[in-house]
């Protein structure tokens, strides 16, 4: 393959260190033209995986930085090709000038995700590991990062590979017996096939069972804060964020549109919407905000319904809580518990037991009292799975492939148990193999590969 180069650290922001990455058969030769090793020795002679100090040269040959360079020889590199990494000072102009010099030396600009794509094409990673790279880069919580690094280490690839190998074994043995009847090949035993299919089915079921948690882990939970004007919705948003994101005043109706932020609450990523206070109003603009509040409540997976405990409960409060009770999950929050309580918190009646709140929390956004209880309530709704690190499936493409493989394996087992011949059973087995091949990249289409790696940033 040709030689590619890119800036691998974030562009546009000066930092202590900036990294240039070069990969390909001509990587070392291109780097030799833009660096001059201290002491006059060649970069090509440097010990592999050892940092050496060099001058960095621009396209005119002038020294523009004092850097460290490291050479990774094929196949013991990230891409499986010769790779050179140049660790420069992080000034954007230095990195841009050095990249321009590399282009003149014969390298070309790497496409988004091209380094990782080469790692996949050269057998360094399978597709589940490659997708874990971008998940790790995009991780917004520690749990998501831990899961991604587990997948990068093969936590999904290993069990999938075990199922694939087991199905391939019985499929290949069947065809060997059919195609070479004169050879001394042990025929397939039904008990062995049943055990293989049953174990494969259980393995795939276990992976698929993590998909819902994986969706929450990666995308977060869509959550809406709702209530009457001035009950403390925006104050709650600010308290969870730890800074003043929403305007808070004593004037009712300050918030007139949804304000959206991501926040980690109880270890769960919430895509939190602070909504306009719900009330009857003649103001056309505020009325639009109220309509959007109702829409947010309908769309949310979790509703935080806020009522002010320092004033008597109103019919509007009760109506909002009844609406919140129709949500998949909802938590009833009695706010302003630092103020004198002007009402006894009522025992609310709902049309059905499942409409009762998942939790009831008293809190003060001013003092922070009760915030910990809210975090615990959210964590209880979306608990972490007791699974080995990295085995939570967070990728929709992977989920779909696992589901297809599971359906095919289940169909094969049912066909075998109903007395179908081995060739009928193995037709479903081959379908499962195809699905698993797409999952790991053994049989994936070129256009799908291009789509997957287009998600990556340049330089990775």
């Amino acid at each position: 393959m040709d030689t590619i180069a890119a800036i691998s650290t974030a562009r546009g922001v000066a930092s202590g260190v900036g990294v240039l990455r070069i990969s390909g058969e001509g990587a070392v030769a291109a780097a030799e033209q833009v660096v001059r090793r201290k002491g006059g020795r060649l970069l090509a002679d440097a010990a592999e995986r050892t940092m050496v100090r060099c001058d960095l040269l621009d396209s005119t040959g002038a020294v523009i930085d004092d850097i460290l360079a490291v050479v990774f020889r094929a196949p013991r590199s990230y891409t499986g090709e010769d790779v050179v990494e140049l660790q420069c000072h992080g000034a954007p102009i230095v990195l841009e000038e050095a990249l321009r010099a590399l282009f003149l030396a014969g390298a070309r600009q790497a496409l988004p995700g091209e380094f990782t794509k080469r790692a996949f094409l050269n057998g360094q990673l399978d597709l589940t590991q490659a997708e874990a790279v971008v998940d790790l880069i995009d991780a917004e919580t520690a749990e998501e990062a831990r899961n991604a690094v587990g997948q990068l280490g093969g936590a999904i690839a290993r069990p999938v590979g075990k199922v694939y190998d087991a199905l391939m074994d019985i499929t290949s043995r069947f065809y060997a017996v059919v195609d070479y009847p004169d050879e001394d090949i042990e025929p397939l035993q039904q008990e062995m096939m049943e055990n293989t299919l049953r174990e494969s089915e259980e393995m795939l079921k276990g992976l698929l069972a993590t998909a819902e948690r994986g969706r929450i882990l990666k995308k977060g939970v869509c959550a809406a804060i709702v209530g009457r004007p001035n009950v403390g919705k925006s104050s709650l948003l600010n308290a969870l964020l730890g800074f003043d994101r929403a305007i808070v005043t004593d004037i009712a109706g300050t918030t007139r549109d949804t304000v959206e932020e991501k926040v980690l609450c109880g270890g769960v990523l919430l895509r939190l919407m602070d909504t306009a206070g719900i009330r009857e109003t003649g103001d056309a603009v505020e009325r639009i905000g109220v309509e959007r509040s109702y829409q947010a409540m309908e769309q949310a997976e979790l509703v935080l319904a806020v009522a002010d405990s320092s004033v008597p409960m109103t019919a509007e409060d009760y109506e909002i809580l009844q609406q919140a009770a129709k949500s998949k999950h909802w938590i009833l929050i009695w706010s302003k518990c630092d103020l004198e309580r002007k009402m006894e918190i009522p025992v609310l009646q709902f049309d059905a037991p499942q409409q009762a709140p998942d939790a009831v929390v008293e809190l003060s956004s001013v003092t922070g009292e009760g915030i910990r209880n809210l975090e615990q309530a959210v964590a209880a709704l979306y608990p972490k799975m007791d699974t080995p690190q990295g085995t939570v499936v967070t990728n929709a493409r992977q989920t779909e492939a696992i589901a297809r493989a599971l359906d095919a394996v289940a169909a094969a087992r049912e066909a075998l148990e109903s007395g179908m011949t081995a060739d009928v059973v193995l037709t479903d087995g081959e379908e499962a193999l195809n699905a698993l091949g797409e999952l790991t990249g053994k049989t994936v289409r070129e256009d799908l590969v291009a789509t997957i790696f287009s998600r990556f940033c340049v330089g990775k």
Side-chain angles (χ1 to χ4, degrees):
M1 293 185 181
D2 58 350
T3 301
I4 57 174
I7 299 170
S8 290
T9 41
R11 293 183 181 231
V13 179
S15 60
V17 176
V19 177
L20 286 160
R21 177 179 282 171
I22 315 156
S23 181
E25 187 176 346
V28 177
E32 286 277 15
Q33 296 186 50
V34 300
V35 300
R36 185 169 58 217
R37 189 174 172 190
K38 302 289 187 180
R41 289 169 292 177
L42 295 175
L43 182 62
D45 295 332
E48 185 180 0
R49 299 171 179 267
T50 301
M51 286 188 172
V52 294
R53 192 175 172 190
C54 304
D55 290 326
L56 181 66
L57 312 177
D58 65 12
S59 56
T60 69
V63 176
I64 55 172
D65 200 0
D66 187 343
I67 70 166
L68 294 172
V70 58
V71 175
F72 303 87
R73 292 291 185 178
R76 297 177 299 276
S77 71
Y78 179 70
T79 63
E81 305 169 335
D82 283 351
V83 171
V84 179
E85 290 191 358
L86 308 179
Q87 297 201 7
C88 317
H89 291 90
I93 188 61
V94 169
L95 297 171
E96 293 290 348
E97 285 296 312
L99 188 61
R100 186 176 294 112
L102 283 169
F103 294 159
L104 291 174
R108 67 164 173 83
Q109 174 66 57
L111 300 174
E114 191 167 6
F115 290 98
T116 305
K117 183 177 180 179
R118 289 189 176 198
F120 164 68
L121 295 175
N122 291 326
Q124 302 294 94
L125 304 170
D126 79 351
L127 268 191
T128 64
Q129 294 170 304
E131 288 172 313
V133 173
V134 74
D135 287 347
L136 184 57
I137 293 170
D138 293 340
E140 296 183 272
T141 67
E143 185 185 359
E144 187 181 1
R146 285 191 291 268
N147 191 69
V149 79
Q151 291 186 2
L152 183 56
I156 296 291
R158 281 190 296 273
V160 169
K162 184 177 179 180
V163 173
Y164 186 94
D165 290 344
L167 293 176
M168 181 60 75
D169 180 58
I170 61 173
T171 302
S172 60
R173 286 178 61 184
F174 168 76
Y175 285 117
V177 170
V178 171
D179 294 341
Y180 304 99
D182 296 332
E183 298 292 332
D184 186 21
I185 301 173
E186 183 181 355
L188 289 168
Q189 301 297 321
Q190 178 159 332
E191 183 180 356
M192 185 193 75
M193 292 180 66
E194 286 180 352
N195 289 339
T196 296
L197 292 172
R198 189 176 296 109
E199 290 171 4
S200 298
E201 190 174 357
E202 290 304 312
M203 183 79 76
L204 294 173
K205 278 183 179 178
L207 285 175
L208 197 60
T210 69
E212 177 58 20
R213 176 62 187 179
R215 182 190 64 80
I216 292 170
L217 189 63
K218 188 169 184 177
K219 297 185 178 297
V221 175
C222 180
I225 306 175
V226 301
R228 287 190 301 109
N230 229 27
V231 296
K233 300 184 301 300
S234 296
S235 295
L236 176 59
L237 174 70
N238 291 343
L240 291 174
L241 289 172
F243 63 91
D244 291 342
R245 171 64 176 85
I247 298 173
V248 176
T249 73
D250 294 331
I251 303 170
T254 300
T255 302
R256 294 195 167 204
D257 201 354
T258 55
V259 176
E260 301 185 18
E261 284 288 346
K262 291 181 180 179
V263 61
L264 199 61
C265 182
V268 180
L269 183 66
L270 299 182
R271 291 183 285 113
L272 205 55
M273 296 179 287
D274 177 27
T275 64
I278 298 175
R279 66 173 176 179
E280 291 293 330
T281 177
D283 185 304
V285 176
E286 187 178 358
R287 189 162 55 248
I288 293 172
V290 171
E291 291 172 358
R292 291 184 178 179
S293 297
Y294 278 114
Q295 291 171 3
M297 204 174 345
E298 291 172 0
Q299 296 168 1
E301 300 172 73
L302 171 64
V303 171
L304 306 180
V306 183
D308 185 350
S309 65
S310 69
V311 298
M313 189 173 183
T314 68
E316 285 180 327
D317 285 316
Y318 195 78
E319 181 182 345
I320 292 167
L321 298 186
Q322 290 289 346
Q323 187 68 29
K326 299 177 183 178
S327 305
K328 182 177 180 180
H329 292 295
W330 74 290
I331 296 174
L332 173 54
I333 297 174
W334 299 110
S335 67
K336 305 184 184 181
C337 70
D338 55 312
L339 302 179
E340 181 183 355
R341 182 177 291 175
K342 295 294 180 65
M343 69 166 186
E344 288 301 319
I345 295 177
V347 176
L348 302 173
Q349 299 297 319
F350 296 94
D351 297 336
Q354 64 268 27
Q355 292 182 337
D358 294 283
V360 179
V361 177
E362 296 182 58
L363 59 78
S364 167
S365 298
V366 174
T367 66
E369 179 184 353
I371 294 292
R372 177 61 180 159
N373 293 336
L374 176 59
E375 292 175 341
Q376 291 174 342
V378 172
L381 284 177
Y382 306 99
K384 296 179 180 179
M385 299 191 72
D386 185 18
T387 57
Q389 180 174 306
T391 55
V392 176
V393 180
T394 59
N395 183 294
R397 184 195 72 84
Q398 295 174 14
T399 300
E400 189 272 338
I402 293 170
R404 280 193 290 117
L406 176 59
D407 288 344
V409 169
R413 180 185 53 77
E414 291 169 4
L416 184 63
E417 292 175 351
S418 65
M420 294 287 185
T421 57
D423 57 327
V424 175
V425 174
L426 293 173
T427 298
D428 289 317
E430 289 179 330
E431 191 171 326
L433 284 171
N434 288 333
L436 295 175
E438 289 182 21
L439 176 65
T440 60
K442 288 180 183 291
T443 58
V444 73
R445 304 187 315 272
E446 186 176 340
D447 59 335
L448 182 56
V449 170
T451 300
I452 289 169
F453 288 100
S454 68
R455 296 171 53 210
F456 285 67
C457 56
V458 172
K460 193 56 183 173

